[in-house]
Amino acid sequence: MPRLLAAALTMALAAALAVGAALGIVALLDAGPEQPNTPLVTYEQAGQGS
């Protein structure tokens, strides 16, 4: 019986660790800086320039 309890506790701890790691990875991926949406190249359109 103690071995069964130890196995069950180990499985529960492993599952909790896996869920925590997954949530941590998702949090890290979402924490990146937001990129500005500015074009690198701009073109003049007819009627706007000079």
Side-chain angles (χ1 to χ4, degrees), residues 23-48:
L23 291 176
I25 289 171
V26 168
L28 283 176
L29 289 175
D30 195 35
E34 201 159 314
Q35 297 294 324
N37 191 14
T38 55
L40 296 175
V41 178
T42 57
Y43 298 97
E44 280 190 29
Q45 294 183 357
Q48 285 187 348

Side-chain angles (χ1 to χ4, degrees), residues 10-28:
T10 301
M11 274 189 357
L13 182 64
L17 185 63
V19 169
L23 291 176
I25 289 171
V26 168
L28 283 176

